[in-house]
């Protein structure tokens, strides 16, 4: 084998190794917010499910909700070709939400394919609107079970431990951001009444604009008057010059 062939073979082997090491990371079932998932608020999150099989389709997804930080509300978005079932469970300790006590929380959502499901080489997003998000934790762990059309099951239920390598089948983890100062993440809305500083700045800006407009107006008027005067002088000069030529 010549040097070029050896280099090519080594490059192919290295590329294969890189792909082999990186493939599991791309194949994980994950959860990501659409925008922001703030503590104490509501958010729409996407459970992203890639298909790892070369021959079978994903036909079922079960996502278990955390019991240590229960969520009172979870509404899946309708998806063509799938049905969704929300399961709730009684709470040992009721939650207080909007001044009311909630004695049950979402324990699981199950999506079942009514068609082909997630075919090989594709992935599917499963959006869910959920809340109110807890304020006493930085993340929520959702354990997921993925079932294929050939009855193979992938259990994404292993919890990442501090100081350890990522597990082979990690559970999806939703990171929570800091709570909003306005209403704990229910969605920031523009204040109807501007602050004193903003109002003062607005008035100052308006006054400045008005002053600039007045100045421009005055300048235009002055230039207009000057133009009229210069034009009149030119006309008068032309008349006098004509008379001189006639007298001559």
């Amino acid at each position: 084998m010549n040097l070029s062939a050896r280099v090519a073979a080594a490059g192919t082997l290295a590329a294969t190794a890189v792909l082999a090491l990186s493939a599991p990371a791309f194949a994980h079932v994950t959860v990501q917010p659409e925008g922001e998932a703030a503590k104490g608020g509501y958010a729409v999150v996407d459970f992203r499910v890639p298909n790892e099989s070369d021959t079978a389709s994903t036909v079922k997804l079960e996502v278990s909700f955390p019991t240590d930080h229960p969520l009172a509300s979870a509404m899946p978005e309708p998806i063509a070709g799938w049905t969704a079932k929300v399961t709730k469970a009684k709470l040992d300790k009721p939650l207080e939400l909007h001044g009311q006590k909630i004695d049950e929380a979402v324990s699981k959502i199950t999506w079942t394919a009514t068609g082909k499901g997630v075919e090989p080489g594709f992935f599917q997003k499963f959006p869910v609107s959920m809340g109110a998000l807890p304020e006493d934790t930085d993340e929520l762990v959702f354990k997921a079970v993925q079932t294929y059309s050939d009855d193979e099951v992938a259990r994404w239920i292993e919890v990442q431990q501090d100081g350890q390598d990522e597990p082979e089948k990690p559970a999806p983890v939703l990171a929570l951001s800091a709570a909003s100062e306005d209403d704990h993440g229910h969605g920031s809305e523009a204040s109807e009444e501007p602050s004193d500083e903003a109002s003062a700045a607005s008035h100052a800006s308006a006054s400045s604009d008005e002053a600039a407009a007045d100045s421009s107006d005055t300048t235009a008027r002055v230039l207009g008057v000057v133009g009229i005067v210069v034009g009149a002088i030119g006309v008068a000069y032309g008349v006098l010059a004509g008379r001189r030529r006639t007298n001559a």
Side-chain angles (χ1 to χ4, degrees), residues 7-181:
V7 171
T12 302
L13 181 61
T16 303
V18 169
L19 289 175
L21 291 173
S22 61
F26 288 108
H28 294 172
V29 173
T30 60
V31 58
Q32 294 291 334
E34 293 185 6
E36 186 180 38
K39 297 178 182 180
Y42 289 78
V44 175
V45 305
D46 295 332
F47 291 94
R48 300 183 183 184
V49 181
N51 195 321
E52 290 185 300
S53 176
D54 294 329
T55 57
S57 298
T58 295
V59 294
K60 187 177 181 180
L61 175 68
E62 299 171 86
V63 175
S64 295
F65 279 57
T67 56
D68 54 345
H69 296 95
L71 299 175
S73 175
M75 295 183 292
E77 180 178 310
I79 303 174
W82 294 81
T83 61
K85 178 183 177 182
V86 179
T87 303
K88 292 191 174 184
K90 291 289 184 179
L91 295 173
D92 295 332
K93 183 180 179 181
L95 295 173
E96 187 170 339
L97 184 64
H98 303 310
Q100 297 182 347
K101 287 189 176 181
I102 308 298
D103 61 357
E104 63 178 12
V106 177
S107 59
K108 183 170 66 174
I109 297 182
T110 304
W111 287 271
T112 305
T114 57
K116 296 181 179 180
V118 185
E119 297 182 273
F122 292 85
F123 83 99
Q124 177 71 53
K125 291 193 299 183
F126 296 86
V128 179
S129 174
M130 63 176 63
L133 301 175
E135 300 182 59
D136 57 350
T137 184
D138 294 327
E139 62 183 26
L140 292 175
V141 178
F142 298 87
K143 296 182 179 182
V145 177
Q146 180 181 10
T147 303
Y148 288 88
S149 56
D150 60 359
D151 294 329
E152 182 183 349
V153 176
R155 302 181 184 277
W156 305 95
I157 60 175
E158 299 177 35
V159 180
Q160 174 73 54
Q161 302 298 325
D162 293 338
Q164 296 186 11
D165 293 336
E166 183 182 49
E168 183 180 354
K169 296 289 184 180
V173 178
L174 176 66
L176 303 181
S177 59
S180 167
E181 294 180 0

Side-chain angles (χ1 to χ4, degrees), residues 221-242:
R221 288 172 184 171
V222 170
L223 290 176
V225 172
V226 170
I228 292 172
V229 171
V230 171
I233 293 174
V235 172
Y237 181 81
V239 171
L240 291 174

